Amino acid sequence: MLKDLTKEELRQEALRLRAEYDKTRELGLKLDISRGKPSKEQLALSMDLLNVLDSSSDMISEDGFDTRNYGCLTGIAEGKRLMADLMDVRPDQVIVFDGSSLNIMYDTVQKCMAHGVMGHTPWQKLPEVKFLCPVPGYDRHFAVTEAFGVTMLNIPMKEDGPDMDLVEKYVSEDPAVKGIWCVPKYGNPAGTVYSDEVVRRFANLKPAAPDFRIFWDNAYNVHHLDFEKQRQILNILDEAEKAGNPDIVYVFGSFSKITFPGSSVSGLASSKANLEDIAGNMKYQTIGHNKIMQLMHARYFPDREAILAHMKKHAAIMKPKFDAVEEILSKELGGLGIADWSKPDGGYFISFNTMEGCAKTVVAMMKEAGVTMTGAGATYPYHKDPEDRNIRIAPSFATLEEVREAIRIFTVVVRLASVEKLLSE
Amino acid sequence: MLKDLTKEELRQEALRLRAEYDKTRELGLKLDISRGKPSKEQLALSMDLLNVLDSSSDMISEDGFDTRNYGCLTGIAEGKRLMADLMDVRPDQVIVFDGSSLNIMYDTVQKCMAHGVMGHTPWQKLPEVKFLCPVPGYDRHFAVTEAFGVTMLNIPMKEDGPDMDLVEKYVSEDPAVKGIWCVPKYGNPAGTVYSDEVVRRFANLKPAAPDFRIFWDNAYNVHHLDFEKQRQILNILDEAEKAGNPDIVYVFGSFSKITFPGSSVSGLASSKANLEDIAGNMKYQTIGHNKIMQLMHARYFPDREAILAHMKKHAAIMKPKFDAVEEILSKELGGLGIADWSKPDGGYFISFNTMEGCAKTVVAMMKEAGVTMTGAGATYPYHKDPEDRNIRIAPSFATLEEVREAIRIFTVVVRLASVEKLLSE
């Protein structure tokens, strides 16, 4: 344990680490482990998608729509089946959208704000709207609600999901609480998988606000790192229906991290009543989404097995990077008592916690050494990590060698920052 | 002139037309001239677009973006050039969006409502927001502003654009007037082309509201029916800049009626300051639009000439239908003094005016005879045509034979409704 060292030992260690850090800075590196972007090798896996359609293709959908023309607001039949296969729901529970689930989530919040949920008062007309934000969480979720002036309340994440005692208390007592951001499986950033109990407690919430909705961003449903250790979660739509709460949740999914990010197909799954409410507002915004992309994806992924076979190829590229991070972190930081980190079975991120008050320093020092990381604080609403501890590691985009190099430097920086922190106390 | 007939002559004419109408009803027709959808023959023109990209394609944009990955919020270089070629603007004046300009227009209004224009008060916080709506106009424009609770004020259309005296008066006197919907070229539904004077008066408006914006939907910029009679309009961005009003206008354009409606590429052109304002809000909604569609379209249409060559093929399919409508209307209704209609040089529609109080009846009778037309009133805000006269004819989707049949029936119905109207007076 680092804290058991004497001041003099710490000073020696600081000198040694500082020298190593300075040497690294002189290398003029340019590495980036900041965003959850697929690597070139992963993108190459989907190039055959571009062979699916050509000038001789039949462009009529299974339900008879000419995919080349206007219309079909909620998606063609095979587009709904495709999203249902991905999201573990039924095709009739789906509206198909364009290439980004972030866009659906923004638009859904926007419609709640401007038009209200199922005839309830539009949120923008209320004195205050609050969202629960499990932390650490996904920065772009928090940015959406911040953009609309929503008050965001931190909910601590536990091993198996958000602190449900706190969620239940807020949701049942405060009618201003209108929503919660969830990534239920391989969550961003800690890779947390919600337990059956957590999912059931979500499904059984008794909200004070009749227009409270769970924003269930199932972004990583099939993004296993190890197909031998596939984790499953309960189906929130089924559980909500059983609980007599069929309308409580909007589920989001996307092919962005399966085929081409931003240029794929995404979807929203929910109850019939919610889908009708959403489509009723959506019809002013669009005549229909990109049905060519729907057709292309649906023919490329004829069933769930085809999706999973494709995801195994992603895992083969991703897992060595996650293994490398774990190996280096364990070797260089294990047992020092200055950090802990997640060991996810899927998703795109590793959540790393420094000693209190060190995260910002570490990220800044990494930048100086030529390694871009997600900004410290980004995993919290308003970019405010109250303990300045959490750092998100995103190893997907860089090459395996770059990941190893970046994490090696990271361990030096974390140790240096920790030693200097201990010295300053 | 029908009105010169005696009551008895009118009665005879009514009997004869009613018999003809009843005979038509018995045919059990199923025709549709209601929406501005391209026909199958037009869609077939773009099938080669699907051959542009395949698994061997270089997917890197001219400015170095991997179009298969996240990023590039405002569009790849060739996507901007593509939209600039279409919209007669410069690439640096463009943000590229997904397949539908309706979606951009909705989102732009939404952002003005929720976030405000360039730091001004969000429109939703104001007691009232008004839009000027040149009539007859495009129903989906009016639906967007209606969805956001905007008060819509009718502005009569003249031969060369909206009544600019009225526009200037409203815009300069009332700070609640925040916008106006315009289709400046081959407008929906009358095919009106704004004169240079009208464009200059728009560019020189002196709005009472600093956040007033012209919503300039240049949907039909290259949609000429006869390339020998191409009409041109002044460049509103250039004129606005000359007038010292660089930020007054948002220009919209789309490839929907060039390649595949809803599955193409669209764009917004404006001043640098407006683009920054829009991108500043857009970054919460998306990481970037579909860059694969941008790349595909940009390589298929390397320059403006390629777009125009493609549009000539559309015109070859469209013009015979418009000619047929004009021929039949002239022959059957010309000189009767019961109707007038537009003779557009481009676009998708013909605007038809019945005698006062007959439009709803005509559309309802057409429906009974198996011909679907755009609902009467649709060309006015709130679906309220104060004189119940305007009907939009959309001859693009049906075959030439179907158009001839539908319009032949239409002339019978219009004459019958007119005769019965005269008899009832």
Side-chain angles (χ1 to χ4, degrees), chain A residues 87-111:
Chain A
M87 300 165 85
D88 296 328
V89 299
R90 298 191 315 267
D92 65 288
Q93 291 174 312
V94 171
I95 295 177
V96 192
F97 288 75
D98 284 335
S100 142
S101 56
L102 177 66
N103 204 317
I104 315 180
M105 292 186 272
Y106 178 98
D107 284 4
T108 305
V109 171
Q110 179 268 311
K111 290 185 175 70

Side-chain angles (χ1 to χ4, degrees), chain B residues 30-92:
Chain B
K30 217 177 153 188
L31 303 172
D32 192 332
I33 51 169
S34 71
R35 302 293 326 170
K37 289 167 72 166
S39 63
K40 284 192 185 111
E41 293 68 32
Q42 290 175 269
L43 299 172
L45 297 175
S46 300
M47 284 301 285
D48 281 345
L49 188 64
L50 300 172
N51 297 336
V52 171
L53 298 179
D54 63 27
S55 57
S56 69
S57 295
D58 174 11
M59 301 299 286
I60 307 301
S61 73
E62 291 169 11
D63 47 351
F65 285 96
D66 190 333
T67 58
R68 302 169 302 177
N69 217 334
Y70 286 117
C72 197
L73 183 66
T74 58
I76 57 175
E78 51 267 64
K80 291 183 183 180
R81 193 179 59 226
L82 171 84
M83 289 312 305
D85 282 342
L86 172 64
M87 299 164 85
D88 296 328
V89 299
R90 297 190 316 266
D92 65 288

Side-chain angles (χ1 to χ4, degrees), chain A residues 43-58:
Chain A
L43 298 172
L45 296 176
S46 301
M47 285 301 285
D48 281 346
L49 187 65
L50 300 172
N51 296 337
V52 172
L53 298 179
D54 64 27
S55 58
S56 69
S57 296
D58 174 11

Side-chain angles (χ1 to χ4, degrees), chain A residues 35-40 43-44 47-51 53-60 66-71 98-100 102-104 106-107 110-111 113-115 124 138 140 143-144 147-148 256-257 259-264 281 283-293 296 397, chain B residues 35-40 43-44 47-51 53-60 66-71 98-100 102-104 106-107 110-111 113-115 124 138 140 143-144 147-148 256-257 259-264 281 283-293 296 397:
Chain A
R35 300 295 325 172
K37 289 166 72 166
S39 63
K40 284 192 186 112
L43 298 172
M47 285 301 285
D48 281 346
L49 187 65
L50 300 172
N51 296 337
L53 298 179
D54 64 27
S55 58
S56 69
S57 296
D58 174 11
M59 302 299 286
I60 307 300
D66 190 332
T67 59
R68 302 168 303 177
N69 217 334
Y70 286 116
D98 284 335
S100 142
L102 177 66
N103 204 317
I104 315 180
Y106 178 98
D107 284 4
Q110 179 268 311
K111 290 185 175 70
M113 296 297 297
H115 309 306
Q124 72 190 27
Y138 178 33
R140 291 189 189 272
V144 167
F148 285 99
S256 269
K257 288 196 180 82
T259 61
F260 301 135
S263 302
S264 63
N281 286 313
K283 67 172 190 258
Y284 303 113
Q285 187 178 20
T286 183
I287 306 174
H289 294 102
N290 191 321
K291 296 184 293 296
I292 308 260
M293 295 307 285
M296 193 188 289
F397 186 67
Chain B
R35 302 293 326 170
K37 289 167 72 166
S39 63
K40 284 192 185 111
L43 299 172
M47 284 301 285
D48 281 345
L49 188 64
L50 300 172
N51 297 336
L53 298 179
D54 63 27
S55 57
S56 69
S57 295
D58 174 11
M59 301 299 286
I60 307 301
D66 190 333
T67 58
R68 302 169 302 177
N69 217 334
Y70 286 117
D98 284 336
S100 142
L102 177 65
N103 203 319
I104 316 180
Y106 178 98
D107 284 5
Q110 179 268 312
K111 290 185 175 70
M113 296 295 298
H115 310 307
Q124 72 191 29
Y138 178 32
R140 291 189 189 272
V144 167
F148 285 98
S256 268
K257 288 196 180 83
T259 61
F260 301 135
S263 303
S264 63
N281 286 313
K283 68 172 190 260
Y284 303 113
Q285 188 177 22
T286 184
I287 307 175
H289 294 102
N290 192 321
K291 295 185 293 297
I292 308 259
M293 296 306 287
M296 193 188 289
F397 186 68

Side-chain angles (χ1 to χ4, degrees), chain B residues 199-262:
Chain B
V199 176
R200 283 204 192 93
R201 287 176 75 176
F202 267 113
N204 283 277
L205 284 173
K206 302 278 169 268
D211 50 353
F212 169 88
R213 291 293 180 274
I214 303 164
F215 286 66
W216 195 259
D217 182 7
N218 202 1
Y220 305 107
N221 194 34
V222 295
H223 299 64
H224 315 289
L225 283 169
D226 182 347
F227 274 70
E228 305 298 307
K229 287 203 272 178
Q230 283 183 49
R231 307 282 296 274
Q232 301 303 341
I233 55 170
L234 279 184
N235 184 311
I236 183 77
L237 288 175
D238 289 351
E239 294 303 317
E241 201 166 307
K242 276 189 231 165
N245 255 343
D247 303 326
I248 203 171
V249 61
Y250 299 136
V251 181
F252 305 94
S254 169
F255 275 83
S256 268
K257 288 196 180 83
I258 299 175
T259 61
F260 301 135

Side-chain angles (χ1 to χ4, degrees), chain B residues 19-30:
Chain B
E20 197 176 341
Y21 174 65
D22 288 342
K23 221 167 62 189
T24 301
R25 280 206 297 179
E26 282 158 19
L27 297 176
L29 294 173
K30 217 177 153 188

